[in-house]
Amino acid sequence: MSSNSTITFSRRAFMRTSSLAGGGMLIGFNLFQACKPKAEPPVDLSLLNYNDFNAFIKIADNGAVTIYSPNPEIGQGVKTSMPMIIAEELDVAWKDVYVEQGILDTENYQRQVAGGSQSIRFGWDALRQTGATAKQMLVNAAAARWGVDAAECSVSEGVITNAAGETLGYGDVVNEAALLEVPEEVALKEPKDYKIMGKNATNVDIDKITTGKPLFGLDYKAEGMVYAALVRPPAFGKKLVSYDDSKAKSMPGVIDVVKIGEKVRGLLAEDPSFGSKISSSDKIAVIAETTWQAFKAKEAIEAVWEDDTTVESTEDHDKKLTALLDGNEFNTMRSDGDVKKAFAEADEILERTYESPFLPHNCLEPMNFYADVTDEKVHLVGPIQTPAWKAGLVAKMLGREEKDILLEMTRMGGGFGRRLFGDFVIEAAEVSDAIRKPVKVVFTREDDMGIGVYRPAIKYRIKAGVKDGKITAYHLKEAAINDGMYGLIPNFFPAGAIENYQVDSAAYDSNITTGAWRAPYTNFLASAEQSFFDELAELMEVDKIQMRLDLLDKVDAEADERIQYSPERMKEVIKVAVEKSGWGNKPSHVYQGFVNYYCHNSHVAEVADVEIENGEPVVKKLTCVVDCGIVVNPTGAANQAEGGVIDGVGHSMYGDFTFDGGKGHAQNFDKYRLIRMREVPEVETHFIKNELSPTGLGEPTLPPAGGAIANAFKAATGNRLYQQPFTKNPELLKVPEKEVIG
Amino acid sequence: MPTYQIKVNGASKTVDVAEDTPVLWVLRDHLDLVGTKYGCGIGQCGACTVHVDGTAMRSCSLTLAQVDGKSITTIEGLSEDGSHPVQQAWKEVDVPQCGYCQAGQIMTATAFLENNPNPTEEEVKNAMHGNICRCASYTRIKKAVLTAAENMG
C-alpha cells in the first residue's frame, strides 16, 4: 500500500538551477529518480533541451512561472495536473502559471512515456520536491536580503513576507535565488494546506481546442512539407510482389512514388524490440503536394500481393484459443496451494469460459507523423506516446547518432495504447530518407482501422471449487493471441484470498499485429472474473457483496509482497458504492450489477443500473467509486473516470473486430460501432477522500464497467453473458416474454 | 485545375484545386484552417463539421461545387476570440479530454441551438448523436450544450 510519506532522495541528484541570461531562473529536474542529470540547465532558453533533465520550470523576473511539461498528452490530462503539483509546492497562484509541452532530444532519455496510468504516480514526489525546493531558494534569497532568518518568512501566491510585515515578490529575488545552493532539506505541505490541488483547473489547452488553433500532429506544417499516403498490404500475411504506379504518377499534385520497407526489415533484424509482429512487407508511398492528392493517387496504384505467411481468420483463432484452453501448455504465473487436490475434494465446482474479440484503438486523430531527414539532422514531429524509444529506433534504422534526432511531441487526438507502437514514426523517417524532403505520413481511417494494431482476442476459463460453503480453489486460465497477461495481474484480487489459487497463461502466435489497448488484459479480465463471482455467489446461495467482502477479509497483503492491492481500500470503495448506488434499495424495475476491481494502482467499485425498454435491457446509469489517493485536479479526474466508464460500456456492448483471410471486417466507422450520445448512460462518480499518494486514472475505471453491466443484464433478463461484445448475441438481450407481459 | 471562389468565415477565397477535392481538405491544406478535423472521410464521425449557410454539414463529404455561392463557417470563424456562448460553455464545463473531436462537436451544437434555442435533454442527445467522441466526454458535451442554451436564453 502506498503512503503519503516523503521518499528521501538527494535534491542534488535530480535538480539543477541556473540564472537565465535574460533574467530569471531555470530549474531542471527529473521526474523519475532513475534519471541522473549530467549537465547544468542552459542560461539561454533557446538551448533548452532534455538531454539530462526531463522537465524544466522557468521563473521570470516578473514572477511569471512557465512549466515545460515533459510527458506526452493524450487526453489523460497530465499537461494540466502535473504542473498543478509543482505550482502547489512552489506556492504561486495557478492563474500565473503558463504550461508548455516540452520537446524531446533523445540522448540519455528515460521514462518520457504516456502509458500505464503512471505519470502522476511516478511524478508525485519529484514534482512536489521541485516546487518546494525552488520556493525555499526564493525564500532564502529574500531572507538574505533582509538579513533575517528564513524561518521567519512566510509565502502566499508568490509573495514572501517577513516578521516585520515587509514583502518581496518571487520576481524581485529570483536572480539572487538562482545563485544559491540547492537546499538538501525542504518541507512539503500538508494536504490540508493545499490551495491548488483538490480544486478544479480547466484543461490548459482549452482555448486552443475550442477555437481550432493548430495543436495536433495532423495540424503541424513546415516549410516545403509534402504529404505521403502509403499503400499497405490488403490483409495480414500478404506481401508485395509488384506494382504499377504509372496512373498515380500522372495525377495532379503527385511528386513521387517510392517503395519502402527495406530499412524497416533491417531494423527488425537488428532490433526486434520494435515488434516481431510488424509486417515486413514492402509498402508503396505516394508523395503529393496535399493530403487529398496523396489519398487519391494511392487508390490509383495497381499492386499485386501474394501470401507471405498464413492468412488467418477469426474462425481459426477461435479454434486455436479453445485448443489452448483445453491443452496443457501453459505458463504458470502464480500458484498457491494445490488447486488440483482442492478441486478433487470440492463439493461443488463452477467452470465458465469467457471470450473477447480483437479491438482497434480508433484514436479519432488517425496515425500520422512528420519527418525531415537531412544530412545534418533528423527532425520528427507528431503524436507519440513513446517518443524516446521511437527516436532511438529511427537513429538505428538510418544509421545516425541519437544526438542527430530532434523529436517534438504534439498534443494527441487520443492514444489508448495505439501511439505506444510508433510504426508511423518509423515509416515517416523511411519515406523522408528516401525522398529527402520534409514529409508527413498520414494514415487514412481505412489504414488506421483496417491494417493497424489491435487488442488481442482472448479467452478466459475460470474454475472455482466450493467445500463446506467456502471457496477453496480458484483456477484462471488465459488463452491469448500473441501475448498473455503481464506479471502483475495474477496478483490482483482474488489473489491472496483463496488458499488454492493458480493463474495460467498460453498464447497463439499470430501474424496479426497486437498491442496494448487501454487497460491491457484487465479491460476484459475484470468483466470475466466479476461475472464469474456473481455466478459463484448464486451457486453458493450467498450475498454477492458479502461474498466479496468475506474474500477480502482473508487477504493479508502485508504477508505477501506480490500483492499491491489493499483489502481495506477495496472494502471502502465497495461500501461507498453500495451506499451511493442505492444497492438493494431500488424500485423493482431497476436491475443492478456490481463489480469491484483493482488495476493501475487504483481501487474501483461500479454499479450498473439497467431498466427494460421495449422488451430489451438498457443501461441507464453507472455509479463509479474510485480510490486513487489524493485527487490532484477534480474536474480532470472526473472526466477521466467518466470517460473510462463510458468507454468500457461502449466496447463491451458494441466493440467487435473479426478477420477473414487476414483482412479485418471493418475499415471505417460505417461498419464499426463506437458508443454514441444516445447510448450513453448517466455516470455518477465519487472519489474516496484520503491523504494517500495519488495513483493512476487513465485506465482503472474502464475494466469494471463491462462486468457491472453483464451482472445487471443477468438480473434483468436471467441470461449470463460470456461473450463480448454483448450485442453479438442479441437473443440473450431479450427479456423472457412472460415478464414483458407482466 | 479549375479555380473556385468560396466564402469562408466572411472572406472570399480563390482556390485552385481538382473538382473532387472535399471541402475539408481545401480548408486544411489550402487555406490553413486546421481547426476542422479529419476523422473518417465518409461523414460518419462528425469531426469535420462546418456550417454551410448556417447548416451543420460534414466537410469531408462536400465538394466545392456543392458550396458554390454559399457561405462556410469553420470553428475559427465562430467568433473572433472564442467568445461564442457555445465555446464559453465548453470552457465552463471543461469538456475536452484529448480535444480532437471538439471543434466538430461545437459546430454541430451551434447550428442545432440556432434552430432550437431551448432544447430538451433528449433533443440534445439526438442532435449530438452523429458526432463521435472517442474519449467519451459525452456527458460533458451534453451538459455544455444545455449550459450554452441557458446562457444564450
Side-chain angles (χ1 to χ4, degrees), chain A residues 252-299:
Chain A
V254 174
I255 297 164
D256 205 350
V257 176
V258 294
K259 189 171 77 171
I260 64 159
E262 201 173 316
K263 285 205 156 61
V264 170
R265 283 194 295 276
L267 177 65
L268 288 170
E270 198 184 331
D271 186 349
S273 75
F274 180 42
S276 56
K277 303 298 174 204
I278 193 163
S279 166
S280 59
S281 169
D282 283 327
K283 294 166 190 162
I284 308 150
V286 180
I287 325 296
E289 288 167 13
T290 70
T291 317
W292 178 251
Q293 288 167 338
F295 282 4
K296 286 296 284 184
K298 174 189 161 176
E299 287 172 15

Side-chain angles (χ1 to χ4, degrees), chain B residues 14-50:
Chain B
T14 306
V15 286
D16 184 14
V17 296
E19 61 185 357
D20 65 350
T21 312
V23 169
L24 166 68
W25 295 111
V26 174
L27 294 170
R28 289 187 59 84
D29 286 357
H30 297 264
L31 301 176
D32 281 343
L33 293 168
V34 295
T36 305
K37 300 303 189 208
Y38 167 58
C40 69
I42 58 167
Q44 290 283 322
C45 77
C48 67
T49 306
V50 297

Side-chain angles (χ1 to χ4, degrees), chain A residues 11 49 63 225 327 331 367 423 427 467 498 610 614 708 731:
Chain A
R11 228 79 57 231
N49 65 41
M225 183 180 93
N331 171 26
M367 298 306 111
D423 44 323
E427 285 176 356
K467 188 173 173 59
I498 299 164
V610 160
N614 304 316
E731 70 283 2

Side-chain angles (χ1 to χ4, degrees), chain A residues 26 60 107 113 266 351 383 425 429 466 486 537 573 621 678:
Chain A
L26 191 67
E107 198 178 352
V113 169
E351 185 178 76
V425 185
V466 178
Y486 55 91
V573 293
K621 182 179 176 181
R678 277 203 297 264

Side-chain angles (χ1 to χ4, degrees), chain A residues 148-164:
Chain A
V148 301
D149 187 345
E152 288 175 19
C153 302
S154 62
V155 177
S156 179
E157 297 199 336
V159 177
I160 307 158
T161 306
N162 66 19

Side-chain angles (χ1 to χ4, degrees), chain A residues 651-730:
Chain A
H651 279 94
S652 51
M653 285 297 291
Y654 313 117
D656 197 11
F657 203 81
T658 58
F659 287 94
D660 190 12
K663 189 175 162 67
H665 85 280
Q667 314 290 311
N668 206 325
F669 295 124
D670 54 343
K671 294 208 172 64
Y672 187 91
R673 188 172 176 189
L674 281 168
I675 192 166
R676 289 172 182 266
M677 185 63 95
R678 277 203 297 264
E679 295 126 5
V680 172
E682 181 192 345
V683 183
E684 186 182 303
T685 306
H686 301 273
F687 290 96
I688 301 289
K689 285 194 171 53
N690 59 37
E691 296 187 353
L692 298 168
S693 298
T695 53
L697 262 182
E699 291 161 293
T701 67
L702 185 150
I709 61 177
N711 288 340
F713 283 153
K714 164 63 172 60
T717 66
N719 297 323
R720 277 274 161 212
L721 302 170
Y722 300 104
Q723 187 182 25
Q724 284 192 4
F726 299 142
T727 49
K728 191 134 183 150
N729 300 294

Side-chain angles (χ1 to χ4, degrees), chain A residues 331-340 474-475 490-491 495 498-504 560 562:
Chain A
N331 171 26
T332 295
M333 303 188 70
R334 178 169 171 137
S335 177
D336 302 345
D338 185 341
V339 286
K340 210 172 167 187
Y474 188 87
H475 191 180
N491 304 311
I498 299 164
E499 202 182 331
N500 302 291
Y501 173 92
Q502 188 166 324
V503 178
D504 290 337
D560 183 346
R562 294 170 297 176

